[in-house]
Amino acid sequence: MGTKIKKLSKEEFDKIYQCVPRICVEVIVNTSQGIILTKRLIPPCVGMWHIPGGMVYFGEKLEEAVNRIADDELGIDVDIKKMVGVIEYSKKLCETHMHAIGIAFLCEPKSKELKFRGSFQGEEIDVFKIIPDNTIPEQKIFLDKLEVER
């Protein structure tokens, strides 16, 4: 028989969550116009541009997380081209105390016609050839070094 997984209470989850690194995926969508970023509406880093991304759920494959996040945060389907690196965030990411590690995937939109749908995390979406200064610092450094045609 399979092992039954105990569901954690919110309090238990939050306590554990503050003590371990968070594994995330970063969905770098490259288009002929540039890289798609969204502006944060929720903590951490409210008001800053960022790469769409988020936590990988228990039992979820990385590619599944990339596709879920592209749909949830941008409202688009993507083709995953390749993994391009890891972004390790500081333990004090934008005044929080979380330690996150993002596995970055370079993607392209499946459709040439881009119709974005934002989310509660960020409604403002734009495409950039030059990454704005008001981007989460670790992401700006990573994107500035990323060699893609924009």
Side-chain angles (χ1 to χ4, degrees):
M1 292 198 172
T3 304
K4 186 173 179 173
I5 298 172
K6 176 188 172 213
K7 291 214 175 206
L8 300 174
S9 70
K10 172 91 167 96
E11 183 179 286
E12 290 171 315
F13 178 82
D14 289 345
K15 186 175 183 179
I16 293 168
Y17 192 64
Q18 293 174 14
C19 300
V20 297
R22 173 179 162 184
I23 303 300
C24 303
V25 293
E26 309 296 348
V27 184
I28 302 171
V29 182
N30 191 37
T31 72
S32 58
Q33 293 87 29
I35 291 178
I36 300 171
L37 300 176
T38 66
K39 192 176 268 188
R40 299 280 307 168
L41 280 176
I42 62 169
C45 307
V46 174
M48 296 186 82
W49 289 102
H50 83 291
I51 301 166
M55 184 171 64
V56 177
Y57 296 151
F58 181 79
E60 184 177 42
K61 294 185 182 298
L62 295 175
E63 293 81 9
E64 293 169 344
V66 168
N67 287 306
R68 173 181 51 82
I69 289 164
D71 182 50
D72 288 352
E73 295 191 24
L74 300 172
I76 64 172
D77 292 323
V78 295
D79 282 322
I80 300 170
K81 296 303 176 188
K82 62 181 175 177
M83 190 198 53
V84 291
V86 173
I87 303 173
E88 186 167 3
Y89 297 93
S90 67
K91 291 180 191 164
K92 197 165 181 195
L93 174 66
C94 301
E95 304 308 314
T96 66
H97 296 286
M98 80 172 75
H99 180 194
I101 299 168
I103 302 168
F105 288 86
L106 185 62
C107 304
E108 291 178 357
K110 285 188 177 183
S111 173
K112 297 298 177 201
E113 184 179 332
L114 295 177
K115 290 185 180 179
F116 300 123
R117 178 191 74 235
S119 73
F120 72 94
Q121 295 179 47
E123 293 175 348
E124 191 174 343
I125 300 171
D126 211 338
V127 182
F128 298 92
K129 286 212 180 272
I130 298 173
I131 304 305
D133 289 336
N134 187 28
T135 300
I136 293 174
E138 291 90 345
Q139 293 183 355
K140 179 164 177 37
I141 291 166
F142 187 86
L143 291 171
D144 285 344
K145 290 179 181 177
L146 187 62
E147 293 184 20
V148 295
E149 190 173 319
R150 306 184 220 163

